[in-house]
């Protein structure tokens, strides 16, 4: 573990930070899109997740070197913090002109990644970027109460408080901008958003700050955020992904129409059940039955579930409750376009038009929680228990990678496989990385072809990511994180047996 970490920091890291994938010779690198050598990536699978992992490994092993490496990552995060207090998807240590060039070339030509086609110059909550980065600063500060990290943490907390709307919601980006209207669609970045659990993750972070810092001024913003879920639920029980300033359901990217989302409705309803357990206020239970009824109503017919792989359409039309399906034509971002209809064939490769929603799980959780008295429901509420002792930090704030079960049993053969996978340079190399076409200029093909209707990437000018299915090997930050967690779990298991 130390050898792999030393290699990542001594040879791969940019000032303590990371992107997602690298060619073995480090000549090319990618976050969600191709990155410059001067960049680090803040989304899950990059810099911030490395920092969380190193703190978890430090707790499991007690080895101070892992804490020192975590500090390097935290230092990179602080160096990349904006003047306002948040973070963009990436940080470019080469400065403003370098990142503007990136957006005008690589970013502009990522057909399906519209969030990278325009340089806002502000910070984002999308993909848990600012909230999770802030959480890393909270963890590194409360680890040893090193005063070095408090100013950046305070700045991040103030950013999240300042950017919250009076009714409790948050925009996708802040400070607010309105200057990227794409193909007749309004700039959605100032809208209230549930996309990627923006409001839920900001709320989660503020609750953790209240627990660990005892900052009582956070209670009112926390209550407002929970109340926003009540404000934004429609009378039929559903939620949209975005809302305009009048709380009308709104669209976002050109392939995200104004619609209700079964997946968002399920997630928000589950959160409302948590809010009852935080507060004991039955208003959070009052309209869960409507959400369940709506989810039952808009289920896909069996013939449209693709053999039971899906239960619901991704988007449901406001007013009719009919499925909306998104498609695209063309070859590149310059001349290609997205459109909607009611036909469930030739669906997008990068955002499939159907989803899996476990309505039975929601029913069961509602049945369980609604039986609890307010006193029973709130017995473990983080809003009522007071501050968490610092010694409990690791169990309250441990962050494995997504889809990784922290209690997953790790046996000796798995460990041997991981150890044998470390090459002579102490690297874990993997196949099938997400890579991209190198930037070669803007697209020229104008024909409205269906050739790229279901692919992740368009023609050779499209800089969007796609999976390399060849035998080419890549250095993967995610593989490093995952393997470190597996080894950490083995160490914890061995300790518990002794």
């Amino acid at each position: 573990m130390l050898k792999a970490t030393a290699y990542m920091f001594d040879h791969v890291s940019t000032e303590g930070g990371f992107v997602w994938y690298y060619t073995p010779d480090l000549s090319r690198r990618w976050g969600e899109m191709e990155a410059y050598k001067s960049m680090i990536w803040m989304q899950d699978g990059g810099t911030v997740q490395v920092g969380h992992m190193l703190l978890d490994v430090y707790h499991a092993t007690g080895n101070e070197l892992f804490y020192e490496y975590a500090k390097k990552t935290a230092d990179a995060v602080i160096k990349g913090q904006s003047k306002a207090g948040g973070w963009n998807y990436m940080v470019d240590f080469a400065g403003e002109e370098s990142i503007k060039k990136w957006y005008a070339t690589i970013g502009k030509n990522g057909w399906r990644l519209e969030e990278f086609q325009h340089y806002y110059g502000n910070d984002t909550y999308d993909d848990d970027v600012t909230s999770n980065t802030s959480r890393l600063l909270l963890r590194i500060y409360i680890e040893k109460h090193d005063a070095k990290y408090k100013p950046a943490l305070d700045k991040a907390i103030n950013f999240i408080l300042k950017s919250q709307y009076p009714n409790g919601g948050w925009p996708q980006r802040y400070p607010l901008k309105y200057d990227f209207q794409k193909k007749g669609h309004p700039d959605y970045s100032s809208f209230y958003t549930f996309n990627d659990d923006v409001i839920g993750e900001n709320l989660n972070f503020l609750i953790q700050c209240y627990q660990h810092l005892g900052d009582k001024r956070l209670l009112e913003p926390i209550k407002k955020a929970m109340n926003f879920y009540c404000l934004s639920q429609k009378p039929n029980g559903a939620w949209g992904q975005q809302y305009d300033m009048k709380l009308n359901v709104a669209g976002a990217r050109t392939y995200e129409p104004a619609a209700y989302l079964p997946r968002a409705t399920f997630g928000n309803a589950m959160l409302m059940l948590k809010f009852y357990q935080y507060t004991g206020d039955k208003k959070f239970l009052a309209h869960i039955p409507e959400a369940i009824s709506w989810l039952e109503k808009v289920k896909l017919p069996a013939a449209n579930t693709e053999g039971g792989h899906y239960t619901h359409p991704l988007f449901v039309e406001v007013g009719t409750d009919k499925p909306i399906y998104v498609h695209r034509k063309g070859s590149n971002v310059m001349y290609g376009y997205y459109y909607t209809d009611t036909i469930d064939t030739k669906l997008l490769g990068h955002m499939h038009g159907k989803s899996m929603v476990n309505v039975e799980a929601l029913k069961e959780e509602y049945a369980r929680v609604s039986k609890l008295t307010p006193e029973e429901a709130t017995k473990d509420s983080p809003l009522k228990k007071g501050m968490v002792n610092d010694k409990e930090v690791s169990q309250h704030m441990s962050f494995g990678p997504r889809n990784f079960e922290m209690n997953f049993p790790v046996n000796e053969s798995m460990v041997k496989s991981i150890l044998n996978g470390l090459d002579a340079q102490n690297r874990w190399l993997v196949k099938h990385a997400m890579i991209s076409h190198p930037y070669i200029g803007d697209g020229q093909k104008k024909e409205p072809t269906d050739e790229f209707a279901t692919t992740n990437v368009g023609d050779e000018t499209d800089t969007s990511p796609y999976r390399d299915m060849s035998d080419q090997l890549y250095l993967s930050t995610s593989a490093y994180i995952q393997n470190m967690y597996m080894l950490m779990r083995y160490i914890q298991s061995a300790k518990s047996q002794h």
Side-chain angles (χ1 to χ4, degrees):
M1 293 166 80
L2 281 168
K3 286 176 180 178
T5 301
Y7 177 83
M8 291 295 287
F9 278 85
D10 294 346
H11 301 283
V12 182
S13 167
T14 298
E15 302 200 30
F18 301 88
V19 297
W20 293 359
Y21 291 103
Y22 304 79
T23 54
D25 65 0
L26 305 181
S27 60
R28 291 185 72 192
R29 60 195 66 205
W30 297 266
E32 190 164 16
M33 296 184 74
E34 185 159 10
Y36 294 158
K37 289 184 178 180
S38 53
M39 286 178 166
I40 62 173
W41 225 259
M42 311 309 288
Q43 289 157 293
D44 190 24
T47 301
V48 179
Q49 199 64 45
V50 169
H52 281 307
M53 176 273 292
L54 290 168
L55 286 175
D56 289 339
V57 170
Y58 167 59
H59 293 146
T61 64
N63 191 315
E64 289 290 330
L65 284 173
F66 290 117
Y67 174 70
E68 293 301 317
Y69 282 121
K71 285 169 62 178
K72 290 178 186 288
T73 301
D75 291 344
V77 159
I78 292 171
K79 189 171 182 181
Q81 189 175 25
S82 75
K83 290 180 181 178
W87 289 266
N88 192 18
Y89 297 102
M90 80 290 283
V91 170
D92 191 342
F93 291 122
E96 189 86 351
E97 290 309 308
S98 177
I99 200 166
K100 283 182 178 178
K101 178 185 174 185
W102 184 93
Y103 270 93
T105 54
I106 294 171
K108 176 186 172 185
N109 282 280
W111 186 7
R112 70 178 178 83
L113 292 171
E114 295 175 11
E115 60 271 35
F116 292 113
Q117 292 170 10
H118 173 74
Y119 179 61
Y120 282 100
N122 60 4
D123 304 316
T124 187
Y125 288 119
D126 192 34
D127 285 344
D128 201 12
V129 167
T130 288
S131 49
N132 199 28
T133 309
S134 301
R135 191 176 290 115
L136 178 61
L137 290 182
L138 175 62
R139 291 190 74 193
I140 199 81
Y141 170 66
I142 61 179
E143 189 63 52
K144 297 190 178 184
H145 290 278
D146 187 337
K148 169 184 176 180
Y149 299 108
K150 192 64 161 54
L153 172 59
D154 288 341
K155 191 176 175 183
I157 293 170
N158 289 333
F159 175 86
I160 290 172
L161 295 179
K162 187 176 180 181
S163 60
Q164 187 181 32
Y165 282 113
N167 65 5
W170 273 278
Q172 189 195 62
R173 303 190 69 102
Y174 193 81
L176 299 176
K177 298 287 181 77
Y178 309 93
D179 54 349
F180 185 44
Q181 296 183 11
K182 184 174 174 64
K183 298 186 177 181
H185 295 251
D187 189 326
Y188 63 89
S189 63
S190 64
F191 291 173
Y192 309 112
T193 184
F194 288 112
N195 184 38
D196 284 328
D197 204 17
V198 164
I199 297 170
E201 288 296 350
N202 285 352
L203 171 60
N204 185 30
F205 172 69
L206 292 180
I207 289 173
Q208 288 169 333
C209 287
Y210 173 69
Q211 283 184 287
H212 293 281
L213 304 175
D215 189 343
K216 292 186 178 179
R217 72 189 169 124
L218 303 181
L219 282 174
E220 189 58 31
I222 288 167
K223 290 176 184 175
K224 286 197 300 182
M226 289 189 289
N227 195 54
F228 184 79
Y229 287 76
C230 299
L231 291 175
S232 55
Q233 187 181 18
K234 294 303 178 181
N236 64 353
W239 277 274
Q241 183 171 245
Q242 311 274 156
Y243 293 79
D244 64 19
M245 294 300 99
K246 295 181 179 179
L247 281 179
N248 296 312
V249 175
R253 293 172 290 193
T254 62
Y255 48 83
E256 294 172 315
Y260 297 130
L261 273 77
R263 199 159 58 191
T265 298
F266 170 84
N268 287 0
M270 291 293 271
L271 280 174
M272 295 274 269
L273 295 174
K274 271 192 177 181
F275 299 161
Y276 174 59
Q277 294 170 87
Y278 289 167
T279 65
D281 191 333
K282 291 195 174 182
K283 72 179 178 183
F284 295 115
L285 299 178
H287 299 291
I288 303 297
E290 287 96 318
I292 292 170
S293 296
W294 183 81
L295 287 170
E296 293 280 19
K297 178 185 177 183
V298 299
K299 276 184 177 178
L300 288 168
N304 299 100
T305 63
E306 300 182 27
H309 288 291
Y310 303 101
T311 58
H312 289 76
L314 187 61
F315 300 112
V316 174
E317 188 174 42
V318 175
T320 69
D321 281 338
K322 293 180 179 177
I324 303 173
Y325 295 107
V326 185
H327 314 273
R328 73 177 182 183
K329 282 188 181 290
S331 301
N332 52 68
V333 69
M334 300 305 294
Y335 300 103
Y337 60 92
Y338 292 90
Y339 65 98
T340 63
D341 60 24
T342 58
I343 302 168
D344 72 341
T345 57
K346 290 187 178 178
L347 299 179
L348 300 179
H350 62 83
M351 182 178 275
H352 197 73
K354 300 176 184 181
S355 58
M356 174 61 77
V357 178
N358 191 344
V359 182
E360 291 306 310
L362 175 58
K363 288 180 181 177
E364 290 170 11
E365 186 65 359
Y366 173 69
R368 184 187 73 82
V369 173
S370 60
K371 290 176 183 174
L372 301 174
T373 66
E375 293 73 25
E376 291 170 334
T378 58
K379 67 182 178 66
D380 294 318
S381 169
L383 302 182
K384 296 190 173 183
K385 286 184 73 176
M387 287 183 67
V388 176
N389 187 294
D390 287 344
K391 290 180 181 177
E392 298 180 81
V393 165
S394 61
Q395 76 178 69
H396 282 272
M397 301 185 69
S398 182
F399 296 89
R402 287 179 187 174
N403 305 318
F404 182 75
E405 174 54 57
M406 290 300 289
N407 294 318
F408 182 79
V410 181
N411 60 42
E412 211 163 302
S413 65
M414 295 162 73
V415 169
K416 284 179 180 176
S417 177
I418 292 169
L419 296 182
N420 291 336
L422 204 62
D423 73 4
Q425 297 183 56
N426 296 313
R427 307 174 299 180
W428 281 297
L429 299 180
V430 301
K431 297 176 184 176
H432 311 321
M434 292 296 288
I435 64 167
S436 65
H437 296 134
Y439 170 70
I440 58 171
D442 296 344
Q444 302 297 317
K445 297 174 185 174
K446 300 181 181 181
E447 301 79 15
T449 177
D450 281 337
E451 181 183 355
F452 304 107
T454 63
T455 61
N456 275 334
V457 66
D459 67 20
E460 63 277 5
T461 68
D462 185 0
T463 54
S464 301
Y466 64 91
R467 195 167 296 283
D468 179 3
M469 296 309 294
S470 76
D471 288 335
Q472 171 67 48
L473 292 172
Y474 297 90
L475 182 66
S476 165
T477 304
S478 288
Y480 161 64
I481 293 168
Q482 179 109 357
N483 287 337
M484 290 287 285
Y485 270 116
M486 295 282 276
L487 296 175
M488 180 193 86
R489 288 292 302 130
Y490 187 70
I491 288 169
Q492 289 175 321
S493 175
K495 280 186 174 181
S496 67
Q497 291 172 13
H498 295 289

